[in-house]
Amino acid sequence: MRYQRPRGTQDILPDQMPEWLLAENTFRRLCHSFGYGEIRTPIFEDTDLFVRSVGEDTDIVSKEMYTFEDRGGRSLTLRPEGTAPVVRAFIEDNLQGPDRERIVKLCYIAPIFRYDRPQAGRYRQHHQAGVEALGSMTPGLDAEVIHLAMTLYTALGITKVSLLINSVGCPVCRPVYVVKLREFLAGSREELCDDCRRRYETNTLRVLDCKVESCRRLTDGAPKQVDELCDECAEHFAAVQEHLKVLGIGFELQPRIVRGLDYYTKTAFEFVSTGLGSQDAIGGGGRYDGLVEQCGGPPTPAVGLGIGLERV
């Protein structure tokens, strides 16, 4: 019998390794210069970690996770994203120590597993370079994470990169916005795609991020989250933009940027690059101020970033 690699996976061959090593080593050097220490977490974790942190109604949890039961009857899942395992390690290994004012900066390069339709630059096993900065609310930290990514792209010769930013609010102001968005979509619910009809009930913000053209037309003119932000979120978002301007980083306000994970708060961003077709995102991230507490740790604001190495 002649075996073949599973669909959605790849062999990285010797003649391709120089590009991979260039990207990985450049990322590591940059992270070191920005004060980020490298961490490696297990490839699989307790399934509930991802269900609780990512969100039960997200596409990742409902359709894309590789979940299995081990011989002890425990439900385990191959890592579908990088932030939740780092947060778990941050709590379990007490990385912040007794000084709750200390900012903990971590970086990683890790395989990610998602059962999804393979597309250009999207594999069922792909690789992600990521950073997580835990312990500060300052908008400057949001800008620093974005600055690190832009510095990486420049160092690798990727010049045609656009930064799209938005604010997805917080538990205070987001529910108000979701009500208004549902009211806007109520009359056209049956015209949405199957996924978005489900999202309307369970994860309404994700309708804005749908790539189906008919859904995008239906959400043209939808109310914007930035118009419904509470004072704290509005001030934070304005400060992030000011920091980016000081750093000389151009950006575009894009109300459709909501990210696909429930844990995001306030800042959300994506990097897109021309020349990749419709699958043009090469990185993204945002702030997740409630996730550490949600996973059993102390209240700890945080912001992070993930970069898809295949597309880079």
Side-chain angles (χ1 to χ4, degrees):
M1 179 176 179
R2 183 179 178 182
Y3 293 101
Q4 293 182 311
R5 61 181 178 267
R7 185 168 185 250
T9 64
Q10 61 176 329
D11 298 313
I12 302 173
L13 303 176
D15 63 344
Q16 300 169 306
M17 284 306 300
E19 292 182 346
W20 280 84
L21 292 174
L22 173 65
E24 292 174 2
N25 291 336
T26 302
F27 173 74
R28 285 191 172 101
R29 284 197 304 270
L30 272 176
C31 287
H32 178 75
S33 69
F34 275 73
Y36 289 76
E38 188 167 359
I39 185 172
R40 298 185 187 184
T41 61
I43 284 179
F44 56 88
E45 300 266 2
D46 189 315
T47 298
D48 189 60
L49 171 68
F50 300 113
V51 174
R52 175 177 293 193
S53 59
V54 175
E56 190 169 2
D57 296 316
T58 61
D59 287 353
I60 291 175
V61 171
S62 64
K63 299 191 298 184
E64 298 175 5
M65 295 202 314
Y66 281 92
T67 297
F68 62 96
E69 189 173 286
D70 73 1
R71 293 184 180 184
R74 291 171 289 264
S75 179
L76 302 171
T77 295
L78 297 179
R79 180 199 300 119
E81 62 93 35
T83 300
V86 172
V87 167
R88 192 267 311 145
F90 172 82
I91 299 167
E92 183 175 359
D93 300 313
N94 194 27
L95 296 184
Q96 200 170 32
D99 182 7
R100 295 298 179 197
E101 300 301 315
R102 188 167 72 90
I103 299 175
V104 177
K105 297 181 178 182
L106 303 168
C107 66
Y108 60 87
I109 297 174
I112 303 292
F113 303 87
R114 292 190 192 178
Y115 187 88
D116 199 358
R117 183 168 61 89
Q119 302 176 49
R122 176 183 290 177
Y123 295 87
R124 289 175 175 172
Q125 177 183 332
H126 60 277
H127 299 81
Q128 186 177 96
V131 301
E132 314 292 347
L134 305 102
S136 176
M137 276 275 203
T138 176
L141 203 56
D142 305 42
E144 176 185 281
V145 167
I146 291 170
H147 180 41
L148 189 155
M150 292 298 282
T151 305
L152 175 67
Y153 297 139
T154 300
L156 295 175
I158 305 171
T159 56
K160 296 180 180 179
V161 179
S162 298
L163 168 63
L164 311 178
I165 65 171
N166 189 28
S167 176
V168 294
C170 70
V172 173
C173 55
R174 186 185 303 159
V176 177
Y177 171 67
V178 169
V179 169
K180 291 192 175 185
L181 181 59
R182 282 181 175 171
E183 290 174 350
F184 175 84
L185 293 170
S188 54
R189 282 177 61 185
E190 297 308 311
E191 300 174 58
L192 296 170
C193 71
D194 291 343
D195 279 340
C196 283
R197 283 199 293 273
R198 173 178 56 81
R199 290 167 181 156
Y200 178 89
E201 297 293 345
T202 61
N203 197 350
T204 314
L205 286 183
R206 289 286 285 142
V207 177
L208 296 172
D209 194 35
C210 183
K211 301 301 187 287
V212 176
E213 190 56 39
S214 58
C215 290
R216 295 184 77 81
R217 286 196 299 269
L218 290 170
T219 52
D220 282 342
K224 299 176 181 179
Q225 173 76 74
V226 292
D227 295 330
E228 306 297 334
L229 297 176
C230 61
D231 290 344
E232 179 185 326
C233 288
E235 290 172 8
H236 188 276
F237 193 45
V240 171
Q241 295 174 64
E242 287 304 312
H243 280 288
L244 293 175
K245 291 174 183 176
V246 169
L247 290 167
I249 299 174
F251 57 87
E252 175 188 339
L253 299 178
Q254 175 49 267
R256 290 187 183 273
I257 300 297
V258 297
R259 308 298 295 158
L261 312 173
D262 282 359
Y263 55 63
Y264 283 111
T265 56
K266 295 186 173 71
T267 312
F269 58 86
E270 285 186 6
F271 301 97
V272 298
S273 178
T274 57
L276 290 178
S278 60
Q279 298 298 323
D280 58 357
I282 59 173
R287 182 162 278 281
Y288 49 94
D289 291 336
L291 182 57
V292 176
E293 187 174 12
Q294 187 178 334
C295 291
T300 308
V303 59
L305 157 76
I307 293 173
L309 288 178
E310 274 77 3
R311 291 183 185 174
V312 165

